[in-house]
Structures are given as structure tokens and as C-alpha cells.
Amino acid sequence: MASLSADILHDILKRLDGAALARAGCACADLRDISKEEELWENVCRSLWPSTNHDDVRSLIISVGGFRKFYADCSTLILNKDVPSVQSNKTNLFAEEWDESDYYHYFDGTDELEKALPSDFVSLIDIQYKDRALYSNIIWGIPSSDGANGWFNNCPFRIDVFHHSPENNDNNDGEVFLSTINDLPSVPSLEQERKDGKLWRDLNDGIKLSWIMVNRKMKLAVNLSSWHPLGGQRHWPTDTDFVLRFGSVLPAKEVLPCQVAKCILLMKFRVTNTGSEETGEPSTLALTELNMQIEDMEGVHLNGHRSLLVLKEALSCHRSRNYSEVLDSCHSYLRVQSELKEEKIRSECRFDTLCLVGGITVFAALCVMCYRKIDRS
């Protein structure tokens, strides 16, 4: 190692990915010093996130701490183990110190907004299929959030990155396609796909989504995606649609009574051509939708103001490189969410039963009173 020049070591290290580069920096003092160079980490980030290949994004990353810090913040996934348990026999399952006005209050533009401005956030979005770049986008600020006291703060939060209307199929400008050219498996017919699900499995295994949220004021960044799909539906809402769901469980201790929220990243593909082996025509999928929403444990979509506060809190949350650990956390959230829905159904059934018994009792009492009155007369 001592016989190799710094230039040769630099040339070797620039061929490594982020994880290998970090490990190499722990090998010896010479590699440690070279592995701290920003140029190496810039190459790593540009390879992993094509959206960083822009001069304005490069300036943004440098302003928030550099590429080495950016990789450390965004290559890890959000891990939230503080998922509350469902408590039975309570009408309000989470909020012991919150009332309804606290939870659903109307935002009136107080100083709290200064803590989370839409213009502070930048979204860096990258989609890969089988480790090849498929789509990248950069969103400066939060779309449709103009006006501090406008509808955005009090209406359901949603960021639409990509939306293709099926009514405009003649205009394919800006569309994103997947085909057998991208190693997508050939599909002879939708009927065959319903039986074996080959296309659906390949799409689940091959697709990756990264949605990095950067806050320019706080100089922090976080990856809100789970990289791989957490779930989805095939042939919904139509036979030609495939829906994939990514996301993460975000901390919301100071924002929501349930103290957690779920970031939902929804991606939708549509089969535009099943292909034909005889004619050589490829099977083709078109990306038709990509959006973000944030909901609480009861499935209620948060408004713009609450969502910004949750995103702000997520920037400094705990993270992990262990994907299975992150996946277990998401499954734990879904399990508790399912238990919550079941508990609400049981509570409603108990209330309905109580009302029914009360109604029958009152009716029986009225009948007895009428019978006695008639009997006396």
C-alpha cells in the first residue's frame, strides 16, 4: 500500500460504490484521508441519484454540507420503532391530552408557519429499473403552495410529480416507458399475466424509487422512500394498471396525537402493449402516476401545514441501513393500523347494539304503559 501513489489510490477508490468507499476509508490512514475527498462522494451520488447531475442541485448539496454528508443522510432509510399500540375500550385510542379542536384545527397563519415554509423544501426524485436510470425529476418548493394563508395549509397534502391522463394517449411527450428492451419480460396476453403474474413479480423485484427531501433552511436531507415497494395491487383500478406503494413511517410526536404518520409514495404503471413474439413487438408499460401523500394512523390525509411539520421532524429522525429492520417497522405500523380499524368497528358495533337494546327497551316500556292504560279504561 505504501508503494502506491495517492493518484493511483484515488483512481481505485473512485471506482467504488458508497458502501465500499466507506469501508475502504476504515482500512488505513492513507485511504481514510483520500476517501474524505468530496469528488469521490460526488461521483458516488451522481451514480446513485441521476437527479444530482445538475449544477443547481450540486450547489444545493454543497450548501447543506457536501456530498459525503448527503450520501450518509440519504442512502439510509427512515426507521421508526415508536409505533403506539392500540388500547381497547377507548373512544379516542391515542389522544389522552388532545381534543378534537387540537387535532383538526384550522390553520390561521400564525408564527408556527415560519418553522416550515414550502419554499424551504426541495424534492430529488429518481426511479431505477434493474439498477438502470428510468426517470429523474427535481421539484423546488411544494407545488400549488403559493400564499401563506391559502387553501394549501388546510387542504389534504399531495405532491403530483407525474400524471398522465389516458384521455391524452395521442400526446406521448414526457412519458416514461418500460419495455422488453429494458429487460421487461414479454407478456403474450393480459389473461396469461393474471394467471402467472410474471410481469407483476418482475416489476416488484426490479423497480426502485428514491424520493429525497432537502430542507435548505435546516441544511438537512432525508430519503422518504423505502427503495423497494412495500406493497401494491395489480389489475387495479383497471385490468391494465399496476399500482406500487413505497414510503416510510415518520415521527410526528409534536404534530399528531398518534405520534406517527405514514408517507405514501404511489407509483402507477399501465400496460400499453402486450407485445408479440411473432412480430417482435415489445411488451410496454407506461408510467402514468407518481405522487406523495401523508396520512395518520386512522387513514386521514394530513393537510398542507401539518404535513410540512411532519416532514420537518422527519429530517432529523433515526435511520438504518438494515432494510429488513425498516421493513419490519413498516409492517408493525400496518399491523397496528389494522388493529385500530378493527377496534373502531367493534366500538361501533357495541354502540349500535346499545342503541338497539335501548330502543327495544323504550318500545317495550311504551307498549306496557299503553296496555295498562287501555286495561284500566
Side-chain angles (χ1 to χ4, degrees), residues 42 46 49-62 67 124-126 136-138 140:
E42 182 175 354
R46 290 191 171 192
W49 299 294
S51 60
T52 61
N53 290 304
H54 297 268
D55 291 339
D56 49 356
V57 176
R58 183 177 186 274
S59 300
L60 171 68
I61 295 175
I62 292 174
F67 284 93
L124 307 179
I125 302 151
D126 294 283
S136 294
N137 198 356
I138 306 163
W140 298 88

Side-chain angles (χ1 to χ4, degrees), residues 64-288:
V64 299
F67 284 93
R68 185 164 174 250
K69 178 178 181 294
F70 181 81
Y71 177 84
D73 289 342
C74 302
S75 63
T76 51
L77 301 177
I78 294 175
L79 177 62
N80 191 345
K81 295 182 178 180
D82 298 328
V83 179
S85 59
V86 175
Q87 303 175 23
S88 302
N89 302 322
K90 286 192 177 183
T91 55
N92 191 346
L93 298 177
F94 299 109
E96 295 181 358
E97 300 178 357
W98 296 59
D99 56 29
E100 188 172 2
S101 62
D102 292 328
Y103 188 50
Y104 296 105
H105 82 284
Y106 180 87
F107 177 69
D108 58 1
T110 59
D111 292 339
E112 189 180 10
L113 180 62
E114 297 299 325
K115 300 177 182 178
L117 291 172
S119 58
D120 294 337
F121 293 92
V122 180
S123 294
L124 307 179
I125 302 151
D126 294 283
I127 301 176
Q128 297 179 359
Y129 179 72
K130 295 186 177 179
D131 297 325
R132 280 179 272 183
L134 179 64
Y135 173 80
S136 294
N137 198 356
I138 306 163
I139 302 178
W140 298 88
I142 305 295
S144 305
S145 61
D146 298 336
N149 298 319
W151 63 269
F152 168 81
N153 294 311
N154 303 293
C155 292
F157 174 83
R158 181 185 176 105
I159 299 180
D160 280 303
V161 179
F162 194 98
H163 185 81
H164 170 72
S165 175
E167 286 78 12
N168 297 325
N169 281 332
D170 293 336
N171 182 13
N172 291 331
D173 293 339
E175 272 200 277
V176 180
F177 291 100
L178 266 178
S179 68
T180 48
I181 300 174
N182 306 104
D183 294 332
L184 192 73
S186 179
V187 180
S189 66
L190 287 176
E191 288 75 14
Q192 183 64 33
E193 168 60 21
R194 290 192 197 95
K195 292 179 181 178
D196 55 34
K198 183 179 179 181
L199 179 61
W200 170 249
R201 289 194 302 272
D202 191 86
L203 189 62
N204 266 278
D205 295 339
I207 205 76
K208 289 182 180 180
L209 171 65
S210 171
W211 190 313
I212 297 173
M213 189 68 75
V214 184
N215 188 293
R216 289 182 279 186
K217 181 183 293 184
M218 298 177 62
K219 300 187 182 301
L220 293 174
V222 65
N223 199 332
L224 299 172
S225 180
S226 51
W227 280 109
H228 302 279
L230 296 174
Q233 292 174 282
R234 62 173 179 151
H235 308 306
W236 187 92
T238 69
D239 287 344
T240 58
D241 287 322
F242 297 96
V243 178
L244 299 171
R245 291 183 178 86
F246 303 77
S248 53
V249 181
L250 308 180
K253 295 182 179 179
E254 303 299 328
V255 185
L256 297 175
C258 57
Q259 300 186 345
V260 292
K262 186 177 183 182
C263 177
I264 301 173
L265 307 175
L266 187 142
M267 184 189 300
K268 184 184 292 185
F269 285 92
R270 173 164 294 175
V271 180
T272 58
N273 194 342
T274 55
S276 173
E277 294 182 355
E278 296 179 357
T279 61
E281 193 173 5
S283 301
T284 307
L285 292 178
L287 177 65
T288 59

Side-chain angles (χ1 to χ4, degrees), residues 357-371:
V357 172
I360 293 174
T361 302
V362 172
F363 178 75
L366 291 175
C367 289
V368 171
M369 290 174 60
C370 291
Y371 175 77

